[in-house]
Amino acid sequence: MQTASLLFLNTYSAFMYTGNRLDTGLEQHLNCKGKADDILRFGRVRYFAFGSNMNPGVLQGLRQVKPIKACPGFVKEYKLAFNLLGTPGIEPSFASAEPSDKEDDELHGVLFTLTRLDWEKVARTEGVGLAYSLEEVVVNTYQGSKLQAVTLRTKPGPLRAPFGKDIQPSEGYLDLLIQGAEYYNLNKEYKDKLRSIRPNPAVLVNTKNMYRFLGINVSN
C-alpha cells in the first residue's frame, strides 16, 4: 500500500471510533468567554480548526472530541490550502493552514477549547508529526477577542503536494467544510468562497456516500 493510502486510512480511522451522533448541547458553547494569554492553560488547549474538524459530525460525533468552548474566528495573513496528499481517485487531498503574503487574506474557522486528552486525540488522529506540523496563530474571534491557539499546517516532505500547488479535494470533503461553516455561521463571504471551490474531477468514488458510511451526513 502506498504512503498516501496509509495516510488516508490513518486519518479517517478516527471516524470509526463510534456511531454516536452529534450532541446538540454543543450549541451552548458557541460563545467564547474569558481571555488567556497562552495556548495551554489549566490543562486546556485552544485549537483552531478550518477543515473537516469544523464539522461537528466529524469532531464530536465520530472522533468523540467534545469541545469545552467553540466560537468562530479568523487568522489574518493565512489561507486555506489543499496540499496534504491523500489517496488518488478517492480523497486526493486534505486541508492545511498556510501563511499568505497577502495582507487581506483571512483563514476562517472555529476556535475550540479542548481538554488535554481531547487535544491529544485530535493530534494523534490527524497525524501530527507525520502529516501535519503545529502552527501557532492568533485567532480573531467574531466577538472581538484575540487569542493564541495552535492549528495544523502540512508538514514539508513526501506528503506535501510539490511545487507549492494545491490539489482539489473531493466533493464529499468539501461538503464537510461547508457544513461546518454553516453550523458555526462563519462569515458569508468566506462560506461563498468555500462553495466556489471546484471538486476534483478525477475522484472515482462517491465520497458523499463514503462519508455517510462513516456516519457523517453530508448534503444531497
Side-chain angles (χ1 to χ4, degrees):
M1 185 178 291
Q2 296 178 344
T3 302
S5 297
L6 287 170
L7 171 64
F8 177 84
L9 293 174
N10 177 67
T11 303
Y12 283 99
S13 65
F15 293 161
M16 302 304 291
Y17 272 41
T18 178
N20 294 339
R21 294 298 180 266
L22 170 67
D23 176 5
T24 54
L26 178 62
E27 295 180 11
Q28 67 184 344
H29 297 304
L30 293 183
N31 294 326
C32 284
K33 297 179 180 179
K35 293 181 74 173
D37 58 6
D38 56 345
I39 296 165
L40 173 63
R41 190 176 187 183
F42 305 128
R44 299 175 179 179
V45 177
R46 284 196 293 265
Y47 160 56
F48 181 69
F50 51 83
S52 63
N53 281 337
M54 290 193 300
N55 190 310
V58 174
L59 185 67
Q60 185 174 351
L62 293 175
R63 289 191 192 272
Q64 291 255 289
V65 170
K66 299 186 182 297
I68 298 168
K69 296 179 182 178
C71 68
F74 62 93
V75 179
K76 293 182 178 180
E77 296 183 41
Y78 270 76
K79 62 182 179 180
L80 178 65
F82 296 98
N83 58 12
L84 176 59
L85 297 177
T87 302
I90 301 177
E91 191 57 83
S93 65
F94 300 101
S96 173
E98 294 293 325
S100 173
D101 56 6
K102 297 180 180 179
E103 292 184 0
D104 58 347
D105 266 349
E106 295 177 350
L107 175 60
H108 288 246
V110 185
L111 179 62
F112 293 112
T113 301
L114 306 177
T115 66
R116 186 62 179 267
L117 288 177
D118 272 346
W119 163 244
E120 289 174 355
K121 187 185 295 184
V122 170
R124 182 175 67 252
T125 57
E126 286 286 14
V128 172
L130 171 66
Y132 288 110
S133 58
L134 297 182
E135 192 92 347
E136 295 187 15
V137 293
V138 176
V139 179
N140 298 266
T141 73
Y142 284 10
Q143 295 179 328
S145 301
K146 290 187 178 183
L147 298 172
Q148 290 178 295
V150 291
T151 194
L152 304 180
R153 182 183 180 188
T154 301
K155 187 175 180 179
L159 297 181
R160 188 179 180 93
F163 311 116
K165 292 185 177 181
D166 279 9
I167 298 176
Q168 294 163 273
S170 74
E171 184 178 7
Y173 185 74
L174 285 171
D175 273 357
L176 297 181
L177 273 63
I178 293 168
Q179 287 185 345
E182 287 285 358
Y183 183 84
Y184 286 103
N185 196 26
L186 297 192
N187 175 281
K188 181 182 183 302
E189 182 179 344
Y190 191 77
K191 288 188 290 187
D192 290 342
K193 182 177 180 179
L194 290 178
R195 292 191 183 94
S196 72
I197 299 172
R198 299 182 64 182
N200 197 311
V203 171
L204 304 176
V205 300
N206 187 324
T207 50
K208 289 188 177 183
N209 286 340
M210 179 178 72
Y211 291 124
R212 287 192 184 100
F213 174 77
L214 293 172
I216 306 170
N217 292 320
V218 295
S219 59
N220 297 321

